[in-house]
Amino acid sequence: MAKRNNDNQSIEDALKEFVATNNLQSGLDKVNVREAWAKLMGNGVNNYTTAIELKHDTLYVQLSSSVLREELSYGKEKIIAMLNDAIGKEVIKSLMLR
């Protein structure tokens, strides 16, 4: 049975509690990472992005262009920092471009 909170609680706090209680954070992180990638990388990169998957703290990104993959590989640390900053917490520790 769910605990009942009688005192007034903000919607934000209630949602955080719901997410924590139901172990939904990892699923939300996966969605947030996809959205952050699409927003930060822009249409040029998104057109060549075929798959994005977050497993534990590693982000796997499948790209259809080997030239783009090579180009992005030089800025992995910066990409990781930008994505974590956009998400608001350190979700990604490593980036694998395939």
Coordinates of all heavy atoms in Angstrom, one line a residue:
M1 N 0.8 -1.2 0.0 CA 0.0 0.0 0.0 C 0.9 1.2 0.0 O 1.9 1.3 0.7 CB -0.9 0.0 1.3 CG -2.0 1.0 1.2 SD -3.3 0.2 2.1 CE -4.4 1.5 2.3
A2 N 0.6 2.2 -0.8 CA 1.4 3.4 -0.9 C 1.2 4.3 0.3 O 0.1 4.3 0.9 CB 1.0 4.2 -2.2
K3 N 2.3 4.9 0.7 CA 2.2 5.8 1.8 C 1.4 7.1 1.4 O 1.6 7.5 0.3 CB 3.5 6.1 2.5 CG 4.3 7.2 1.8 CD 5.6 7.5 2.6 CE 6.3 8.6 1.9 NZ 7.4 9.1 2.5
R4 N 0.7 7.6 2.3 CA -0.1 8.8 2.0 C 0.6 10.0 2.7 O 0.9 9.9 3.9 CB -1.5 8.6 2.5 CG -2.4 9.8 2.1 CD -3.8 9.5 2.3 NE -4.5 10.7 1.9 CZ -5.5 10.7 1.1 NH1 -5.9 9.5 0.6 NH2 -6.2 11.8 0.8
N5 N 0.7 11.0 1.9 CA 1.3 12.3 2.4 C 0.2 13.3 2.6 O -0.4 13.7 1.7 CB 2.3 12.8 1.4 CG 3.7 12.9 2.0 OD1 3.9 12.9 3.2 ND2 4.7 12.8 1.1
N6 N -0.1 13.6 3.9 CA -1.1 14.6 4.1 C -0.7 16.0 4.0 O -1.5 16.9 3.7 CB -1.7 14.4 5.5 CG -2.6 13.1 5.5 OD1 -3.1 12.7 4.5 ND2 -2.7 12.5 6.7
D7 N 0.6 16.3 4.3 CA 1.0 17.7 4.2 C 1.2 18.1 2.7 O 1.3 17.2 1.8 CB 2.4 17.9 4.9 CG 3.5 17.0 4.4 OD1 3.1 15.8 4.1 OD2 4.6 17.4 4.4
N8 N 1.1 19.3 2.4 CA 1.1 19.8 1.1 C 2.5 19.6 0.5 O 3.5 19.8 1.1 CB 0.8 21.3 1.0 CG -0.6 21.6 1.2 OD1 -1.5 20.7 1.1 ND2 -0.9 22.8 1.6
Q9 N 2.6 19.0 -0.7 CA 3.8 18.6 -1.4 C 3.8 19.2 -2.8 O 2.8 19.1 -3.5 CB 3.9 17.1 -1.4 CG 5.2 16.6 -1.8 CD 5.2 15.0 -1.8 OE1 4.2 14.4 -1.8 NE2 6.4 14.5 -1.6
S10 N 4.9 19.8 -3.2 CA 4.9 20.3 -4.6 C 4.8 19.1 -5.6 O 5.1 18.0 -5.3 CB 6.2 21.1 -4.8 OG 7.3 20.2 -5.0
I11 N 4.3 19.4 -6.8 CA 4.2 18.4 -7.8 C 5.6 17.9 -8.1 O 5.8 16.7 -8.3 CB 3.5 19.0 -9.1 CG1 2.1 19.3 -8.7 CG2 3.7 18.1 -10.2 CD1 1.3 19.9 -9.8
E12 N 6.6 18.7 -8.1 CA 8.0 18.3 -8.4 C 8.4 17.3 -7.4 O 9.0 16.2 -7.8 CB 8.9 19.5 -8.4 CG 10.3 19.1 -8.8 CD 11.3 20.3 -8.7 OE1 10.9 21.4 -8.4 OE2 12.5 20.1 -9.0
D13 N 8.2 17.6 -6.1 CA 8.6 16.6 -5.1 C 7.8 15.3 -5.2 O 8.4 14.2 -5.0 CB 8.4 17.2 -3.7 CG 9.4 18.4 -3.4 OD1 10.4 18.4 -4.1 OD2 9.1 19.2 -2.5
A14 N 6.5 15.4 -5.5 CA 5.7 14.2 -5.6 C 6.2 13.4 -6.8 O 6.2 12.1 -6.6 CB 4.2 14.6 -5.8
L15 N 6.5 14.0 -7.9 CA 7.0 13.2 -9.0 C 8.4 12.6 -8.7 O 8.6 11.4 -9.1 CB 7.2 14.1 -10.2 CG 5.8 14.5 -11.0 CD1 6.1 15.5 -12.1 CD2 5.2 13.2 -11.5
K16 N 9.3 13.3 -8.0 CA 10.6 12.7 -7.7 C 10.4 11.5 -6.8 O 11.0 10.5 -6.9 CB 11.4 13.8 -6.9 CG 12.0 14.8 -7.9 CD 12.9 15.8 -7.1 CE 13.4 16.9 -8.0 NZ 14.1 18.0 -7.3
E17 N 9.4 11.6 -5.8 CA 9.2 10.5 -4.9 C 8.6 9.3 -5.7 O 9.0 8.2 -5.5 CB 8.2 11.0 -3.8 CG 7.9 10.0 -2.8 CD 7.0 10.5 -1.7 OE1 7.2 11.6 -1.2 OE2 6.0 9.7 -1.4
F18 N 7.7 9.6 -6.6 CA 7.1 8.6 -7.5 C 8.1 7.8 -8.3 O 8.2 6.6 -8.4 CB 6.0 9.2 -8.4 CG 5.4 8.2 -9.3 CD1 4.3 7.3 -8.8 CD2 5.7 8.1 -10.6 CE1 3.7 6.4 -9.7 CE2 5.1 7.1 -11.5 CZ 4.1 6.3 -11.0
V19 N 9.0 8.6 -8.9 CA 10.1 8.1 -9.7 C 11.0 7.2 -8.9 O 11.4 6.1 -9.2 CB 10.9 9.2 -10.4 CG1 12.2 8.7 -11.0 CG2 10.1 9.9 -11.5
A20 N 11.4 7.7 -7.7 CA 12.3 6.9 -6.8 C 11.6 5.6 -6.3 O 12.2 4.6 -6.3 CB 12.7 7.8 -5.6
T21 N 10.3 5.7 -5.9 CA 9.6 4.6 -5.4 C 9.5 3.5 -6.4 O 9.5 2.3 -6.1 CB 8.2 5.0 -4.9 OG1 8.4 6.0 -3.9 CG2 7.4 3.9 -4.3
N22 N 9.3 3.9 -7.7 CA 9.0 2.9 -8.8 C 10.3 2.6 -9.6 O 10.1 2.0 -10.7 CB 7.9 3.4 -9.6 CG 6.6 3.4 -8.9 OD1 6.0 2.4 -8.5 ND2 6.1 4.6 -8.5
N23 N 11.5 3.0 -9.2 CA 12.7 2.8 -9.9 C 12.6 3.2 -11.4 O 13.0 2.4 -12.3 CB 13.1 1.3 -9.8 CG 13.4 0.9 -8.3 OD1 14.1 1.7 -7.6 ND2 13.0 -0.2 -7.9
L24 N 12.2 4.3 -11.7 CA 12.0 4.8 -13.0 C 13.1 5.7 -13.5 O 13.2 6.0 -14.7 CB 10.7 5.6 -13.2 CG 9.4 4.8 -12.8 CD1 8.2 5.7 -12.8 CD2 9.2 3.6 -13.7
Q25 N 14.1 6.0 -12.7 CA 15.1 7.0 -13.0 C 15.9 6.6 -14.2 O 16.2 7.4 -15.1 CB 16.0 7.3 -11.8 CG 16.8 8.6 -12.0 CD 16.0 9.8 -12.3 OE1 15.1 10.2 -11.6 NE2 16.3 10.4 -13.5
S26 N 16.3 5.3 -14.3 CA 17.2 4.9 -15.4 C 16.5 5.0 -16.7 O 17.1 5.4 -17.7 CB 17.7 3.5 -15.2 OG 16.6 2.5 -15.3
G27 N 15.2 4.8 -16.8 CA 14.4 4.9 -18.0 C 14.3 6.4 -18.4 O 14.4 6.7 -19.5
L28 N 14.1 7.2 -17.4 CA 14.0 8.7 -17.6 C 15.4 9.2 -18.1 O 15.4 10.0 -19.0 CB 13.6 9.4 -16.4 CG 12.1 9.3 -16.0 CD1 11.9 10.0 -14.7 CD2 11.2 9.9 -17.1
D29 N 16.4 8.7 -17.6 CA 17.8 9.1 -18.0 C 18.0 8.8 -19.5 O 18.6 9.6 -20.2 CB 18.9 8.4 -17.1 CG 18.9 9.0 -15.7 OD1 18.4 10.1 -15.5 OD2 19.6 8.3 -14.9
K30 N 17.5 7.6 -19.9 CA 17.7 7.2 -21.3 C 16.9 8.1 -22.2 O 17.5 8.5 -23.3 CB 17.2 5.7 -21.5 CG 18.1 4.7 -20.8 CD 17.5 3.3 -20.9 CE 18.5 2.4 -20.1 NZ 18.0 1.0 -20.2
V31 N 15.8 8.5 -21.8 CA 15.0 9.5 -22.6 C 15.7 10.8 -22.7 O 15.8 11.4 -23.7 CB 13.5 9.6 -22.1 CG1 12.8 10.7 -22.8 CG2 12.8 8.3 -22.3
N32 N 16.1 11.3 -21.5 CA 16.8 12.6 -21.4 C 18.1 12.6 -22.2 O 18.4 13.6 -22.9 CB 17.1 12.9 -19.9 CG 15.9 13.2 -19.1 OD1 14.8 13.5 -19.7 ND2 16.0 13.1 -17.8
V33 N 18.8 11.5 -22.3 CA 20.0 11.5 -23.1 C 19.7 11.6 -24.5 O 20.3 12.3 -25.3 CB 20.8 10.2 -22.8 CG1 21.9 9.9 -23.8 CG2 21.4 10.2 -21.4
R34 N 18.7 10.9 -25.0 CA 18.3 10.9 -26.4 C 17.9 12.4 -26.8 O 18.3 12.9 -27.8 CB 17.1 10.0 -26.7 CG 17.6 8.5 -26.8 CD 16.5 7.7 -27.3 NE 16.8 6.3 -27.2 CZ 16.3 5.5 -26.2 NH1 15.4 5.9 -25.4 NH2 16.7 4.2 -26.1
E35 N 17.1 13.0 -25.9 CA 16.6 14.4 -26.2 C 17.8 15.3 -26.2 O 17.9 16.2 -27.0 CB 15.6 14.8 -25.2 CG 14.3 14.1 -25.3 CD 13.3 14.5 -24.2 OE1 13.6 15.1 -23.3 OE2 12.1 14.0 -24.4
A36 N 18.7 15.2 -25.2 CA 19.9 16.0 -25.2 C 20.8 15.9 -26.4 O 21.3 16.9 -27.0 CB 20.7 15.7 -23.9
W37 N 21.0 14.6 -26.9 CA 21.8 14.4 -28.1 C 21.2 15.1 -29.3 O 21.8 15.8 -30.0 CB 21.9 12.9 -28.3 CG 22.7 12.6 -29.6 CD1 22.1 12.4 -30.8 CD2 24.1 12.4 -29.7 NE1 23.1 12.2 -31.7 CE2 24.3 12.1 -31.1 CE3 25.1 12.4 -28.8 CZ2 25.6 11.9 -31.6 CZ3 26.4 12.2 -29.3 CH2 26.6 11.9 -30.6
A38 N 19.9 14.9 -29.5 CA 19.2 15.5 -30.6 C 19.3 17.1 -30.6 O 19.5 17.7 -31.6 CB 17.7 15.1 -30.6
K39 N 19.1 17.6 -29.4 CA 19.1 19.1 -29.2 C 20.5 19.7 -29.4 O 20.7 20.6 -30.1 CB 18.6 19.4 -27.8 CG 18.4 20.9 -27.6 CD 17.7 21.1 -26.2 CE 18.1 22.4 -25.6 NZ 17.7 22.6 -24.3
L40 N 21.5 19.0 -28.8 CA 22.9 19.6 -28.8 C 23.6 19.3 -30.1 O 24.4 20.2 -30.5 CB 23.7 19.0 -27.6 CG 23.3 19.5 -26.2 CD1 24.0 18.7 -25.2 CD2 23.6 20.9 -26.1
M41 N 23.4 18.2 -30.7 CA 24.2 17.8 -31.9 C 23.6 18.5 -33.2 O 24.3 18.6 -34.2 CB 24.3 16.3 -32.0 CG 24.9 15.7 -30.8 SD 26.4 16.5 -30.2 CE 27.6 15.8 -31.4
G42 N 22.3 18.8 -33.2 CA 21.7 19.5 -34.3 C 21.4 18.5 -35.5 O 21.7 17.3 -35.4
N43 N 20.8 19.1 -36.5 CA 20.3 18.2 -37.6 C 21.4 17.6 -38.4 O 21.2 16.4 -38.8 CB 19.4 19.1 -38.6 CG 18.1 19.4 -38.0 OD1 17.6 18.7 -37.1 ND2 17.5 20.4 -38.5
G44 N 22.5 18.2 -38.5 CA 23.6 17.7 -39.3 C 24.1 16.3 -38.7 O 24.2 15.4 -39.5
V45 N 24.2 16.2 -37.4 CA 24.6 15.0 -36.8 C 23.4 14.0 -36.7 O 23.6 12.8 -36.9 CB 25.3 15.2 -35.4 CG1 25.6 13.9 -34.7 CG2 26.6 16.0 -35.6
N46 N 22.3 14.6 -36.3 CA 21.1 13.7 -36.1 C 20.7 13.0 -37.4 O 20.2 11.9 -37.3 CB 19.9 14.5 -35.6 CG 20.1 14.9 -34.2 OD1 20.5 14.1 -33.4 ND2 19.8 16.2 -33.9
N47 N 21.0 13.6 -38.6 CA 20.6 12.9 -39.8 C 21.5 11.6 -40.0 O 21.1 10.7 -40.7 CB 20.9 13.8 -41.0 CG 19.8 14.9 -41.1 OD1 18.7 14.8 -40.5 ND2 20.1 16.0 -41.8
Y48 N 22.6 11.5 -39.4 CA 23.5 10.4 -39.5 C 23.5 9.5 -38.3 O 24.1 8.5 -38.2 CB 24.9 10.8 -39.8 CG 25.1 11.5 -41.1 CD1 25.2 12.9 -41.2 CD2 25.2 10.8 -42.3 CE1 25.3 13.5 -42.4 CE2 25.3 11.4 -43.5 CZ 25.4 12.8 -43.6 OH 25.5 13.4 -44.8
T49 N 22.7 9.8 -37.3 CA 22.5 9.1 -36.0 C 21.4 8.0 -36.3 O 20.3 8.3 -36.5 CB 22.2 10.0 -34.8 OG1 23.2 11.0 -34.7 CG2 22.1 9.1 -33.6
T50 N 21.8 6.7 -36.2 CA 20.9 5.7 -36.4 C 20.4 5.0 -35.1 O 19.3 4.4 -35.1 CB 21.4 4.6 -37.3 OG1 22.7 4.1 -36.8 CG2 21.7 5.2 -38.7
A51 N 21.2 5.1 -34.0 CA 20.7 4.5 -32.8 C 21.5 5.2 -31.6 O 22.7 5.5 -31.8 CB 21.0 3.0 -32.8
I52 N 20.8 5.3 -30.5 CA 21.4 5.9 -29.3 C 20.9 5.0 -28.1 O 19.7 4.7 -28.0 CB 20.9 7.3 -29.0 CG1 21.3 8.2 -30.1 CG2 21.5 7.8 -27.7 CD1 20.7 9.6 -30.0
E53 N 21.9 4.5 -27.4 CA 21.5 3.6 -26.3 C 22.4 3.9 -25.0 O 23.6 3.9 -25.2 CB 21.7 2.1 -26.7 CG 21.2 1.2 -25.6 CD 21.2 -0.3 -26.1 OE1 21.8 -0.6 -27.2 OE2 20.8 -1.1 -25.3
L54 N 21.8 4.1 -23.9 CA 22.5 4.3 -22.7 C 22.5 3.0 -21.9 O 21.4 2.5 -21.5 CB 21.9 5.4 -21.8 CG 22.5 5.8 -20.5 CD1 23.9 6.3 -20.7 CD2 21.7 6.8 -19.7
K55 N 23.7 2.4 -21.6 CA 23.8 1.2 -20.8 C 24.7 1.6 -19.6 O 25.9 1.9 -19.8 CB 24.4 0.1 -21.6 CG 23.5 -0.6 -22.6 CD 24.2 -1.8 -23.2 CE 23.3 -2.4 -24.2 NZ 24.0 -3.5 -25.0
H56 N 24.2 1.5 -18.4 CA 24.9 1.9 -17.2 C 25.3 3.3 -17.4 O 24.5 4.2 -17.5 CB 26.0 0.9 -16.9 CG 25.5 -0.5 -16.8 ND1 24.6 -0.9 -15.8 CD2 25.6 -1.6 -17.6 CE1 24.3 -2.2 -16.0 NE2 24.9 -2.6 -17.1
D57 N 26.6 3.6 -17.4 CA 27.1 5.0 -17.6 C 27.8 5.2 -18.9 O 28.6 6.1 -19.1 CB 28.0 5.4 -16.4 CG 29.2 4.5 -16.2 OD1 29.4 3.6 -17.1 OD2 29.9 4.6 -15.2
T58 N 27.6 4.3 -19.9 CA 28.2 4.4 -21.2 C 27.1 4.7 -22.3 O 26.1 4.0 -22.3 CB 28.9 3.1 -21.6 OG1 29.9 2.8 -20.6 CG2 29.6 3.2 -23.0
L59 N 27.3 5.7 -23.1 CA 26.4 6.0 -24.2 C 26.9 5.5 -25.5 O 28.1 5.8 -25.9 CB 26.2 7.6 -24.3 CG 25.3 8.0 -25.4 CD1 23.9 7.6 -25.1 CD2 25.3 9.6 -25.5
Y60 N 26.1 4.6 -26.1 CA 26.5 4.0 -27.4 C 25.7 4.8 -28.5 O 24.5 4.8 -28.4 CB 26.2 2.5 -27.4 CG 26.9 1.7 -26.4 CD1 26.4 1.5 -25.2 CD2 28.2 1.2 -26.8 CE1 27.1 0.8 -24.2 CE2 28.9 0.4 -25.8 CZ 28.4 0.2 -24.6 OH 29.1 -0.5 -23.6
V61 N 26.4 5.3 -29.4 CA 25.8 6.1 -30.5 C 26.2 5.4 -31.8 O 27.4 5.3 -32.1 CB 26.2 7.6 -30.5 CG1 25.5 8.3 -31.7 CG2 25.8 8.2 -29.2
Q62 N 25.2 5.0 -32.6 CA 25.5 4.4 -33.9 C 25.3 5.5 -35.0 O 24.3 6.2 -35.0 CB 24.5 3.3 -34.2 CG 24.7 2.6 -35.5 CD 25.1 1.1 -35.2 OE1 24.8 0.6 -34.1 NE2 25.7 0.5 -36.2
L63 N 26.4 5.7 -35.8 CA 26.4 6.7 -36.8 C 26.5 6.0 -38.2 O 27.3 5.1 -38.3 CB 27.5 7.7 -36.6 CG 27.4 8.5 -35.3 CD1 28.8 9.1 -35.0 CD2 26.3 9.5 -35.4
S64 N 25.8 6.5 -39.2 CA 25.9 5.9 -40.5 C 27.0 6.5 -41.4 O 27.3 6.1 -42.5 CB 24.6 6.1 -41.3 OG 24.3 7.5 -41.4
S65 N 27.8 7.5 -40.8 CA 28.9 8.1 -41.5 C 30.2 7.9 -40.8 O 30.4 8.3 -39.7 CB 28.7 9.6 -41.7 OG 29.9 10.3 -42.1
S66 N 31.1 7.2 -41.4 CA 32.4 6.9 -40.8 C 33.2 8.2 -40.7 O 34.0 8.3 -39.7 CB 33.2 5.8 -41.6 OG 33.4 6.3 -42.9
V67 N 33.1 9.1 -41.6 CA 33.8 10.4 -41.5 C 33.3 11.2 -40.3 O 34.1 11.7 -39.5 CB 33.5 11.2 -42.8 CG1 34.2 12.6 -42.7 CG2 34.1 10.5 -44.0
L68 N 32.0 11.2 -40.1 CA 31.4 11.9 -38.9 C 31.9 11.2 -37.6 O 32.2 11.9 -36.7 CB 29.9 12.0 -39.0 CG 29.2 12.7 -37.9 CD1 29.6 14.1 -37.8 CD2 27.7 12.6 -38.0
R69 N 31.8 9.9 -37.6 CA 32.3 9.2 -36.4 C 33.7 9.5 -36.1 O 34.0 9.8 -34.9 CB 32.1 7.7 -36.7 CG 32.5 6.8 -35.5 CD 32.1 5.3 -35.7 NE 32.4 4.8 -37.0 CZ 31.5 4.4 -38.0 NH1 30.3 4.6 -37.8 NH2 31.9 4.0 -39.1
E70 N 34.6 9.6 -37.0 CA 36.0 9.9 -36.8 C 36.1 11.4 -36.3 O 36.8 11.6 -35.3 CB 36.8 9.8 -38.1 CG 38.2 10.1 -38.0 CD 39.0 9.0 -37.3 OE1 38.5 7.9 -37.3 OE2 40.1 9.3 -36.8
E71 N 35.3 12.3 -36.9 CA 35.3 13.7 -36.5 C 34.9 13.8 -35.0 O 35.5 14.5 -34.2 CB 34.4 14.5 -37.4 CG 34.4 15.9 -37.2 CD 35.2 16.7 -38.2 OE1 35.7 16.2 -39.1 OE2 35.3 17.9 -37.9
L72 N 33.8 13.2 -34.7 CA 33.2 13.3 -33.3 C 34.1 12.6 -32.3 O 34.1 13.0 -31.1 CB 31.8 12.7 -33.3 CG 30.7 13.4 -34.0 CD1 29.4 12.7 -33.9 CD2 30.6 14.9 -33.5
S73 N 34.9 11.6 -32.7 CA 35.7 10.9 -31.7 C 36.8 11.8 -31.1 O 37.2 11.6 -30.0 CB 36.4 9.7 -32.4 OG 37.4 10.1 -33.3
Y74 N 37.2 12.9 -31.8 CA 38.2 13.8 -31.3 C 37.6 14.7 -30.2 O 38.4 15.2 -29.4 CB 38.7 14.7 -32.4 CG 39.5 14.0 -33.5 CD1 39.0 14.0 -34.8 CD2 40.7 13.3 -33.1 CE1 39.7 13.3 -35.7 CE2 41.4 12.6 -34.1 CZ 40.9 12.6 -35.4 OH 41.6 11.9 -36.4
G75 N 36.3 14.8 -30.1 CA 35.7 15.7 -29.1 C 34.8 14.9 -28.1 O 33.9 15.5 -27.5
K76 N 35.1 13.6 -27.8 CA 34.3 12.8 -26.9 C 34.1 13.4 -25.5 O 33.0 13.5 -25.0 CB 34.9 11.4 -26.8 CG 34.6 10.5 -27.9 CD 35.2 9.1 -27.5 CE 34.9 8.1 -28.6 NZ 35.4 6.8 -28.2
E77 N 35.2 13.9 -25.0 CA 35.2 14.4 -23.6 C 34.2 15.7 -23.5 O 33.4 15.8 -22.6 CB 36.6 14.8 -23.1 CG 37.5 13.6 -22.9 CD 36.9 12.5 -22.0 OE1 36.4 12.9 -20.9 OE2 37.0 11.4 -22.3
K78 N 34.3 16.5 -24.6 CA 33.5 17.7 -24.6 C 32.0 17.3 -24.8 O 31.1 17.9 -24.2 CB 34.0 18.6 -25.7 CG 33.2 19.9 -25.7 CD 33.8 20.9 -26.8 CE 33.0 22.2 -26.7 NZ 33.4 23.1 -27.8
I79 N 31.8 16.3 -25.7 CA 30.4 15.9 -25.9 C 29.8 15.3 -24.6 O 28.7 15.6 -24.3 CB 30.4 14.8 -27.1 CG1 30.8 15.5 -28.4 CG2 29.0 14.2 -27.1 CD1 31.0 14.5 -29.5
I80 N 30.6 14.5 -23.9 CA 30.1 13.9 -22.6 C 29.8 15.0 -21.7 O 28.7 15.0 -21.0 CB 31.2 13.0 -22.0 CG1 31.3 11.7 -22.9 CG2 30.8 12.6 -20.6 CD1 32.5 10.8 -22.6
A81 N 30.6 16.0 -21.5 CA 30.4 17.1 -20.6 C 29.2 17.9 -21.0 O 28.4 18.3 -20.1 CB 31.6 18.1 -20.6
M82 N 29.0 18.2 -22.3 CA 27.8 19.0 -22.8 C 26.5 18.2 -22.5 O 25.5 18.8 -22.1 CB 27.9 19.2 -24.3 CG 28.9 20.3 -24.6 SD 29.3 20.6 -26.4 CE 27.8 20.0 -27.2
L83 N 26.5 16.9 -22.8 CA 25.3 16.1 -22.5 C 25.0 16.0 -21.1 O 23.8 16.2 -20.7 CB 25.5 14.7 -23.1 CG 25.5 14.6 -24.6 CD1 26.0 13.2 -25.1 CD2 24.2 14.9 -25.2
N84 N 26.0 15.8 -20.2 CA 25.7 15.7 -18.8 C 25.2 17.1 -18.2 O 24.3 17.1 -17.4 CB 27.0 15.3 -18.0 CG 27.2 13.8 -18.1 OD1 26.3 13.0 -18.2 ND2 28.5 13.4 -18.0
D85 N 25.8 18.1 -18.8 CA 25.3 19.5 -18.4 C 23.9 19.7 -18.8 O 23.1 20.3 -18.0 CB 26.3 20.5 -19.0 CG 26.0 21.9 -18.5 OD1 25.9 22.1 -17.3 OD2 25.9 22.9 -19.3
A86 N 23.5 19.3 -20.0 CA 22.2 19.5 -20.5 C 21.2 18.7 -19.7 O 20.0 19.1 -19.4 CB 22.1 19.1 -21.9
I87 N 21.6 17.5 -19.2 CA 20.7 16.6 -18.4 C 20.6 17.1 -17.0 O 19.6 16.9 -16.3 CB 21.2 15.1 -18.5 CG1 21.1 14.6 -19.9 CG2 20.4 14.2 -17.5 CD1 21.9 13.4 -20.2
G88 N 21.7 17.7 -16.5 CA 21.7 18.3 -15.2 C 22.3 17.4 -14.1 O 22.3 17.7 -12.9
K89 N 22.9 16.3 -14.6 CA 23.7 15.4 -13.6 C 24.6 14.5 -14.4 O 24.4 14.4 -15.7 CB 22.7 14.6 -12.8 CG 21.8 13.7 -13.5 CD 20.9 12.9 -12.6 CE 20.0 12.0 -13.4 NZ 19.2 11.2 -12.5
E90 N 25.5 13.9 -13.8 CA 26.5 13.1 -14.5 C 25.9 11.7 -14.7 O 25.9 10.8 -13.8 CB 27.8 13.0 -13.7 CG 28.9 12.3 -14.5 CD 30.3 12.4 -13.9 OE1 30.5 13.4 -13.1 OE2 31.0 11.4 -14.1
V91 N 25.3 11.5 -15.9 CA 24.7 10.2 -16.3 C 25.7 9.4 -17.1 O 25.8 8.2 -17.1 CB 23.4 10.5 -17.1 CG1 22.8 9.2 -17.6 CG2 22.4 11.2 -16.2
I92 N 26.5 10.1 -18.0 CA 27.4 9.5 -18.9 C 28.8 9.7 -18.5 O 29.3 10.8 -18.2 CB 27.2 10.2 -20.3 CG1 25.8 10.2 -20.8 CG2 28.1 9.5 -21.4 CD1 25.4 11.1 -21.9
K93 N 29.5 8.6 -18.5 CA 31.0 8.6 -18.1 C 31.8 8.3 -19.4 O 33.0 8.7 -19.5 CB 31.3 7.6 -17.0 CG 30.7 8.1 -15.7 CD 31.4 7.4 -14.5 CE 31.1 7.9 -13.2 NZ 29.8 8.1 -12.8
S94 N 31.3 7.5 -20.3 CA 32.0 7.2 -21.5 C 31.1 7.2 -22.7 O 29.9 7.0 -22.6 CB 32.8 5.9 -21.4 OG 31.9 4.9 -21.3
L95 N 31.7 7.5 -23.9 CA 30.9 7.6 -25.2 C 31.6 6.6 -26.2 O 32.8 6.7 -26.4 CB 31.0 9.0 -25.7 CG 30.4 9.3 -27.0 CD1 28.9 9.0 -27.0 CD2 30.6 10.7 -27.4
M96 N 30.8 5.7 -26.7 CA 31.2 4.8 -27.7 C 30.5 5.1 -29.0 O 29.3 5.1 -29.1 CB 30.9 3.3 -27.3 CG 31.5 2.9 -26.0 SD 33.3 2.8 -26.1 CE 33.6 1.5 -27.2
L97 N 31.3 5.5 -30.0 CA 30.8 5.8 -31.4 C 30.9 4.6 -32.3 O 32.0 4.1 -32.4 CB 31.4 7.0 -31.9 CG 31.4 8.3 -31.1 CD1 32.3 9.4 -31.6 CD2 29.9 8.8 -31.0
R98 N 29.9 4.1 -32.9 CA 29.9 2.9 -33.7 C 29.5 3.3 -35.1 O 28.7 4.1 -35.3 CB 29.1 1.8 -33.2 CG 29.3 1.5 -31.7 CD 28.6 0.2 -31.4 NE 27.6 0.4 -30.4 CZ 27.0 -0.6 -29.7 NH1 27.2 -1.8 -30.1 NH2 26.1 -0.3 -28.8

